[in-house]
Amino acid sequence: MQWNELDLSVQRAIEAIDQAARHLSVSSAGATRGVTTAESAMEVITVLEAVLSGPSDDPDERAVSRDLRAAKSEILSLQAARERSVMAQMTRQIARIRSARTVDDLADSVPFDASGLGYERVMFSWVEDERWVPRSSHTVSGPGESREMLSAGGPPYHPVRGLIEVEVVRKRRPILVLDALSNPRTHPKIMPISQSVTYIAAPVVARDRVVAMVHADRNVDTGLNDEFDRDLLALFCENVGVALDRLLDTAPSGGGLPTGLRSEWLEALTNREREVLRLIASGLTNAQIGARLYISEETTKTHVKKLMRKMGVSNRSQAGAMFHELAQTAV
């Protein structure tokens, strides 16, 4: 079955809706406005069927009702066929995920395997201290767009606090975003590049915590994303989490979740900001840091604000803790 059959069924549904609207003497343009997907067509048909419910002696009304039922039946049949086909593909993609030999292999393969379920763009990201850390990506537009999105994601890495993704990380649930272009809670640097109209995201749980997220946008069959896409990606990510747990159980010492993520923010700091951070970690105040570095207290405050933003932390204690953690890792 060619997937453009679903587009044709939506067009036939619009024609049935148009005829029903004319029969009811309501605005045809108003009835069909916004009917662009199978879901929106089903919603309008349901409303019209409720209006036309009950027996009728009018042959035109019976014909209108029959056409609406036929349109709905066709859409449901095609959707069911699509779901069966996608689930068969899911089985194949899960087998690929389970064949990964290392954590890095898994992280590299997830976007490609998820895109095989029918999505234009897929991104795999680690979640570290509730920061969104893009790791790998696959897009139908090619590697250039993937590299651009990954670069836009940091460092410095953006905290999920304040973003829609906070639901994914804190509540461990998948999300469906239908207003991505206008929603102020999407990633401020990745979104201008992807220009996603809709997207879905789901958590990857390993070691009993959300360690990663997978994002996907634009179903190549429907042109958007819906609840089925959200639930499909969630199922895929559950299997990624199982595979990740298996790899962590069998990984040699040092082969677990990436610890290098903690040091990548350091590359985003200037030399002066690193000096300020070292003194923050030593417990010095802004005035003491300024005196030590021969700069004003106001200039010190500016450096502190910038380095905290780049590190994705909200206070000096967190910044100091990350510095000490990095120092211990380097030993």
Side-chain angles (χ1 to χ4, degrees), residues 48-59:
L48 291 173
E49 284 185 325
V51 174
L52 295 168
S53 62
S56 173
D57 295 329
D58 184 345

Side-chain angles (χ1 to χ4, degrees), residues 227-275:
E227 289 82 359
F228 177 75
D229 293 316
R230 179 197 61 200
D231 297 341
L232 185 73
L233 186 66
L235 176 60
F236 177 81
C237 286
E238 284 183 19
N239 283 274
V240 173
V242 170
L244 185 54
D245 260 331
R246 176 183 58 79
L247 291 172
L248 293 175
D249 286 340
T250 58
S253 178
L257 291 173
T259 56
L261 297 176
R262 296 184 175 88
S263 63
E264 290 187 14
W265 51 262
L266 190 62
E267 300 175 6
L269 302 184
T270 65
N271 289 334
R272 177 63 84 185
E273 287 166 351
R274 295 180 192 183
E275 290 178 320

Side-chain angles (χ1 to χ4, degrees), residues 111 115 118-123 137-141 145 149 193-197 200 215-218 220:
S115 70
Y119 301 110
E120 285 195 357
R121 298 180 187 85
V122 180
M123 176 181 285
S137 176
H138 177 79
T139 77
V140 296
S141 299
E145 185 181 44
M149 289 195 301
I193 296 173
S194 69
Q195 289 291 300
S196 302
V197 177
I200 49 178
H215 286 74
D217 77 350
R218 189 173 166 79
V220 295

Side-chain angles (χ1 to χ4, degrees), residues 55-178:
S56 173
D57 295 329
D58 184 345
D60 290 337
E61 185 166 312
R62 289 200 300 270
V64 165
S65 296
R66 184 178 60 248
D67 290 345
L68 288 173
R69 291 198 308 272
K72 183 166 72 171
S73 177
E74 182 179 3
I75 289 175
L76 290 173
S77 297
L78 290 173
Q79 286 180 324
R82 172 202 168 206
E83 291 175 8
R84 286 195 298 271
S85 176
V86 171
M87 292 310 296
Q89 181 66 22
M90 168 74 84
T91 301
R92 291 188 287 271
Q93 302 307 85
I94 289 174
R96 290 170 56 90
I97 286 294
R98 291 177 178 173
S99 68
R101 299 293 184 88
T102 66
V103 171
D104 282 338
D105 286 344
L106 181 69
D108 287 337
S109 66
V110 164
F112 181 79
D113 292 329
S115 70
L117 299 175
Y119 301 110
E120 285 195 357
R121 298 180 187 85
V122 180
M123 176 181 285
F124 176 83
S125 306
W126 295 115
V127 175
E128 172 130 343
D129 298 327
E130 292 201 348
R131 290 177 301 150
W132 179 345
V133 183
R135 167 61 173 77
S136 52
S137 176
H138 177 79
T139 77
V140 296
S141 299
E145 185 181 44
S146 291
R147 286 193 295 267
E148 194 174 357
M149 289 195 301
L150 292 172
S151 177
Y157 300 115
H158 203 290
V160 297
R161 182 184 64 255
L163 300 182
I164 308 173
E165 280 71 16
V166 73
E167 295 284 320
V168 178
V169 175
R170 294 184 181 176
K171 298 185 178 181
R172 301 187 180 189
R173 69 174 130 196
I175 57 173
L176 166 63
V177 182
L178 298 175

Side-chain angles (χ1 to χ4, degrees), residues 296-307:
S296 69
E297 185 174 356
E298 195 62 34
T299 299
T300 301
K301 289 181 181 178
T302 299
H303 287 313
V304 171
K305 289 180 180 178
K306 288 183 177 180
L307 69 88

Side-chain angles (χ1 to χ4, degrees), residues 5-16 75:
E5 288 182 18
L6 188 58
D7 293 332
L8 293 174
S9 71
V10 171
Q11 184 57 45
R12 285 190 283 269
I14 291 174
E15 294 171 0
I75 289 175

